[in-house]
Structure formats: structure tokens, C-alpha cells
Amino acid sequence: MSIEISISILITDDHFVVREGLRSILRREPDFTVVGEAANGLEAVTAHARLRPDVTIMDLRMPVCGGVEAIRRIRAADPAARILVLSNFEGDEDIHAALSAGAMGYLLKHSSGDQVTPAIRSLMLGKRWIPQEVAGHLASRERGEILSDREREIVRLLVLGEANKQIASALGITEQTVKSHVKNILAKLQVRDRTEAVTVALRRGIVHLPEV
Amino acid sequence: MSIEISISILITDDHFVVREGLRSILRREPDFTVVGEAANGLEAVTAHARLRPDVTIMDLRMPVCGGVEAIRRIRAADPAARILVLSNFEGDEDIHAALSAGAMGYLLKHSSGDQVTPAIRSLMLGKRWIPQEVAGHLASRERGEILSDREREIVRLLVLGEANKQIASALGITEQTVKSHVKNILAKLQVRDRTEAVTVALRRGIVHLPEV
DNA sequence: CTTGAAATCCCTCTTTCGGGTGAGCGCCGA
DNA sequence: TCGGCGCTCACCCGAAAGAGGGATTTCAAG
């Protein structure tokens, strides 16, 4: 029934142990071949260009170049690239960003692990692979109020603890405008103050904590 | 020279892929035997009580029961337990908490992976295993100003976006007192306002984002 | 016993936040 | 063409936050 064609796979994750775990899992499938590894987004892009794997497993949240950006570049170079995101649950925003960047599947690291293989096979059949739990959060974001570019920029500065006045001068706008934006942000995120806005934005993956 | 004695190991991590990766790495050592797995702190405690492994590899940041608490309980039941923390870099506070809870080693998931085996062997010799990068952060915390219990409790409420008045009623103290605490917190963390205090506290591992 | 840190409370003063309300401009899709 | 949305700015006002001061008790360590 099934034709024996080897499926080449590229693993991208900044954690050695995770890469090793994936190798171990994928080894069990006779027709799977891990053709390369990458420890960050940049490596993933160059490795994909060189190896042209059938499927690329991609972590989000990596140094040097984030997973979303890597997905975008890989898909730009090869629109047929099949990319499976393997991520901690970063939040609605990350899921949406990864999928709209061109990822075909989204797996959670918490998942039991027996989903990796079927996910890859699903992608090989040209089908998406979005687990229920992930799809739910996607829907909640879809029906929800997302922040505009400007608002996301403001949130990024809120995370740094900047006052409205400082945000204003940083963006070259009036403090009044900043207050308007903050007001809209609080309403959209349904929070009471800027501090809660920050934690909600972090949990929903709208922004991330600055590195170290 | 080396006596062939099997070293029994318990793996604790909530991510299946990580557990699989560790199994794969540990398999390469003939005298290593993985005797069990745990997916959270509670499982780790019961598994340790049952299996009495020579070494326990422990992730921090797990559901149900955090790694630090698990370490504490395991060491309470078995003061000779050797525990090796394998963690993302959570921040100074987590490192210190884990070590003072009784962990004998601290590995970063970013590390190249060839450190797992020597770390375990080091623990078997009764020696600690603290990498340079980790030790540096430990020192920076040591020479630093840590928050008191009460202050940490306040920060936990700051993360939720609570106002001083609400924090006061939640803790059964006066708003004035809360303001005093907040003032001290800002000074100790060297930040300007409560919002920045939250992000700094998160980065330093003093508190964590509430689950979903 | 003394010292010190932690936790509690109090007062004043200035700045910042956030709510309410309104308005002009540009762009895009119906 | 028109409405909606994003971005911009404005004014008012009450509440909250933060910067200054001090003050007390408790409790453990030196």
C-alpha cells in the first residue's frame, strides 16, 4: 500500500536535548531521514536552502533570528516548503504569526510525542496539522481584538517600564497620543492598567521579554 | 580503574521530547540506566521514593508542582539524593532557589549536551556541577539585594496588575504599608516604576507568569 | 544587650495615569 | 462615495503612584 520513499527532515531548535529527542523519535520511522540540524533561525534558512528537506521542524523563540522570521524567509525562497512548528505554548499571537508566515503545522512540546510522526506524514500529504488546543487559541484570537502595529510598538515600550512622556519622545509623538493608544490597548486587552497590560501581552505572545 | 557499577537515573521533565532526548544521550553510557520518568514535580517525588535513583535530572518550571518544591521534598525524604537541575535559564532567583533547596548541579538546556554525562559523574563523586555562566549569575545575585518574603508576595500581586489599594486589602494591611514595600522593591530592583519592576522580576525569575 | 533587618503604619507633595469627550486626517474597502 | 479604522492631538479631572520625610514593633543574630 504505502510506497517506500524516504522523507528528509531538517530539525531546528536551539536546545541540544530537544534536537536529540527529535532525532530519537524520528529514528523509529524507517522512511524518515534527518538530513540536518540548525540551532537558530539563520542556520535554518541556510540549511534549508542547501538541503531542501521535505519537512522542516521549527522551534519559535530562538536567538539570532526568531522562528517566525525564519519561516518567512524559507517560504520566500521555497514556497513549497513544509514547515512544522514545534513550540512551547507561546500564546495566540505566536501561533497566528507562525501560521500566517507559512507554517503548515503546529505542535506543542507538551504533547505526548506520538504526534510528531503523524504530523509530518500529514504535511507530506499536503494537509495542515493543527491540534485542537492550538486551534482553540487561534479562534480566540480571530474573534478577538488584536493590537495595531503602533499599539504593539507602544506595548513594547510599556514592557520596558517607560512613562507615557518617554514613550512619546521615543516615538516622536505627543504624550496625548500615547495616552490615547494606551487607553485603546487597555480596552482591547481588557485590563485595568499598564502593568496588567504588560503581563497579558507577554502571556498572549504579543511581545516578549527582552533578552537578558 | 573504573569499577563497573550501574548508575540509575530518574528523568523529570514535562516535555516528552526532552525526556526522549535525555534517554538518547544517557543510552550512550553503558553504566547509565534510566529507571524512570516523571512529567511533573509530584510524579518526581513519588517516583524518587519508589525508585531511589542514584541521580535525578530535574526540570524547573513544571505544572502541578514546581521543580524547586519537588527538590525540597525529595531531599527531605532522602537527604542523600543527588539532583541535577536541567533548565532553561530562568534567572538568578531560580538558580539560587534550586541550589538552596538541595540540588547538587545546574545545567542549562542551551548547553552543548556533552555536559550531561560529566555532570552526572561529578554528582556521583559527591561533587557539585555548576557551569561558569550559571555561577556568574549566582554571584551577581549573592552580592545583590534580594527581596524579602513579603516583598516577593507584593511583586506577585504587581504582576496581576493589582493597585496598591487592592494589594492592601488582599494582604490585610494598609495601603501605606504597600506603598512602603513597593518603594523598597523599586529601590532594590533599581527600576523606576512598578511596570518595569514586573518585567525585571520576571526576567530574574523572582516570580513567574501565572499559568494561562 | 545591642544592632539590624523586616514589617507595619503615618504625613505631605508632585507627577503620572486613566476616564471621559471630542476632533481632524488619510486610507481602504463596501 | 461613504463609513470605518488607524493615528494623531487636545482639554479636564479625579484617582493612583512615587518621592520625600519619620515612626513603631518584633525577632533573630551578633
Side-chain angles (χ1 to χ4, degrees), chain A residues 40-43 45 61-70 73:
Chain A
N40 61 57
L42 269 188
E43 285 184 29
V45 174
R61 183 100 43 130
M62 288 179 298
V64 183
C65 161
V68 175
E69 180 59 24
R73 291 203 212 167

Side-chain angles (χ1 to χ4, degrees), chain B residues 148-151 173-174 176-177 179-181 188:
Chain B
S148 67
D149 291 344
R150 199 51 156 175
E151 287 164 346
I173 58 179
T174 312
Q176 300 302 327
T177 308
K179 291 177 86 169
S180 290
H181 285 308
K188 286 185 177 181

Side-chain angles (χ1 to χ4, degrees), chain B residues 47-168:
Chain B
H48 186 277
R50 192 178 75 248
L51 302 169
R52 289 294 169 138
D54 294 318
V55 174
T56 300
I57 300 180
M58 175 84 65
D59 187 25
L60 305 180
R61 182 102 42 132
M62 288 179 298
V64 184
C65 161
V68 175
E69 181 58 25
I71 294 172
R72 212 183 311 278
R73 291 203 213 165
I74 290 176
R75 294 276 299 191
D78 174 17
R82 302 179 196 88
I83 300 173
L84 173 65
V85 174
L86 177 72
S87 168
N88 305 298
F89 182 63
E90 318 275 5
D92 337 10
E93 203 60 30
D94 284 302
I95 299 176
H96 184 268
L99 292 181
S100 65
M104 303 296 290
Y106 200 107
L107 270 185
L108 298 179
K109 282 186 182 173
H110 300 85
S111 66
S112 40
D114 50 7
Q115 294 196 29
V116 179
T117 298
I120 291 178
R121 298 207 181 277
S122 176
L123 259 63
M124 286 307 292
L125 294 175
K127 295 196 296 185
R128 296 181 167 274
W129 182 273
I130 315 288
Q132 282 305 323
E133 17 178 3
V134 174
H137 284 272
L138 247 189
S140 85
R141 194 219 107 126
E142 228 48 83
R143 67 144 170 71
E145 42 298 316
I146 341 124
L147 301 186
S148 67
D149 291 344
R150 199 51 156 175
E151 287 164 346
R152 223 172 298 123
E153 205 166 355
I154 303 260
V155 171
R156 229 171 285 139
L157 294 169
L158 284 182
V159 171
L160 300 178
E162 306 281 359
N164 289 339
K165 194 177 294 183
Q166 297 168 313
I167 296 176

Side-chain angles (χ1 to χ4, degrees), chain A residues 16-207:
Chain A
F16 174 84
V17 179
V18 173
R19 296 199 299 271
E20 198 59 31
L22 286 172
R23 284 200 111 101
S24 174
I25 293 170
L26 299 174
R27 237 194 316 266
R28 294 167 194 159
E29 306 298 312
D31 55 335
F32 283 6
T33 308
V34 175
V35 294
E37 280 186 8
N40 61 57
L42 269 188
E43 285 184 29
V45 174
T46 61
H48 186 278
R50 192 177 73 250
L51 303 169
R52 289 294 169 138
D54 293 318
V55 174
T56 300
I57 300 180
M58 175 85 65
D59 187 25
L60 304 180
R61 183 100 43 130
M62 288 179 298
V64 183
C65 161
V68 175
E69 180 59 24
I71 294 173
R72 213 184 310 280
R73 291 203 212 167
I74 290 176
R75 294 277 299 189
D78 174 17
R82 302 179 196 87
I83 300 174
L84 174 64
V85 173
L86 177 71
S87 167
N88 306 298
F89 182 62
E90 318 275 6
D92 336 11
E93 203 61 30
D94 284 303
I95 299 176
H96 185 268
L99 292 182
S100 65
M104 303 296 291
Y106 200 107
L107 270 184
L108 297 179
K109 282 186 181 173
H110 301 85
S111 65
S112 40
D114 50 7
Q115 294 195 29
V116 179
T117 298
I120 291 178
R121 298 207 182 275
S122 176
L123 260 62
M124 286 305 293
L125 294 176
K127 294 195 298 185
R128 295 179 167 276
W129 183 273
I130 315 289
Q132 282 304 323
E133 15 177 5
V134 174
H137 283 273
L138 247 189
S140 85
R141 192 219 111 123
E142 229 46 83
R143 68 145 170 68
E145 42 297 318
I146 339 124
L147 301 187
S148 68
D149 291 344
R150 197 52 153 176
E151 287 163 347
R152 222 172 299 123
E153 205 166 355
I154 304 261
V155 172
R156 229 170 286 139
L157 294 169
L158 284 182
V159 171
L160 300 178
E162 307 281 359
N164 289 339
K165 193 177 293 182
Q166 297 168 313
I167 296 176
S169 69
L171 298 182
I173 57 180
T174 312
E175 188 182 352
Q176 301 302 327
T177 306
V178 176
K179 292 175 81 171
S180 290
H181 285 309
V182 171
K183 196 195 310 181
N184 292 331
I185 291 170
L186 298 184
K188 287 185 177 180
L189 296 184
Q190 297 181 319
V191 295
R192 291 160 295 179
D193 51 51
R194 51 177 58 219
T195 307
E196 197 180 357
V198 165
T199 58
V200 168
L202 288 173
R203 285 191 302 182
R204 296 186 51 170
I206 296 172
V207 290

